[in-house]
Amino acid sequence: MLENIPSQTNMAELLGQSLYEVWQALYSAVEGKYDMERVWNTGGKNWTYEYKYRRGGKTLCSLYAKRNCVGFMIIFGKDERTKFEAIRGTLSDAVCRQYDEAKTYRDGKWVMFEPTNTADLDDYMKLLAIKRKPNRK
């Protein structure tokens, strides 16, 4: 857990204005549909910050930030991968390509998206709905 949570100004400086807007759009979309525990953390060796959405010990998704880069990670279990294949035709080529290129581990397929704009935001929300139905109206 992070002791000093970054301010909006810190995040805007780290990401740059255009990527900060992408971060805000992702943040707002997830916050608008899901009421979950939110945890700030260090981003490990590859990222500066991690912002994780969890409920009942299970992670829905995580937002990552480092200089001039935003990351959005979803981990798909076996059943969730089957559900992905069912909606694949409704998703953009870029989202499907990122999914296909992600490595599959024994505990799931870890897919890291690095959006540079909000074009695929609706697709990301479809992917989250695979993991958990939205719990906010």
Side-chain angles (χ1 to χ4, degrees), residues 82-125:
T82 302
K83 292 176 185 176
F84 176 91
E85 293 302 330
I87 67 163
R88 182 183 201 86
T90 69
L91 302 170
S92 73
D93 290 342
V95 168
C96 291
R97 185 173 45 256
Q98 195 65 39
Y99 177 86
D100 292 340
E101 292 172 359
K103 186 165 177 158
T104 303
Y105 297 94
R106 62 171 181 74
D107 61 343
K109 188 171 191 84
W110 294 47
V111 186
M112 175 65 83
F113 300 97
E114 292 185 10
T116 55
N117 57 50
T118 58
D120 293 324
L121 190 60
D122 289 340
D123 285 355
Y124 299 151
M125 292 303 107

Side-chain angles (χ1 to χ4, degrees), residues 6 11 14-15 23 40-43 46-51 62-72 112:
M11 291 302 290
L14 178 69
L15 297 170
W23 172 279
W40 278 99
N41 215 329
T42 61
N46 295 323
W47 298 90
T48 307
Y49 297 115
E50 172 191 58
Y51 190 63
S62 299
L63 289 170
Y64 291 88
K66 65 181 176 183
R67 180 140 321 276
N68 299 318
C69 190
V70 170
F72 180 66
M112 175 65 83

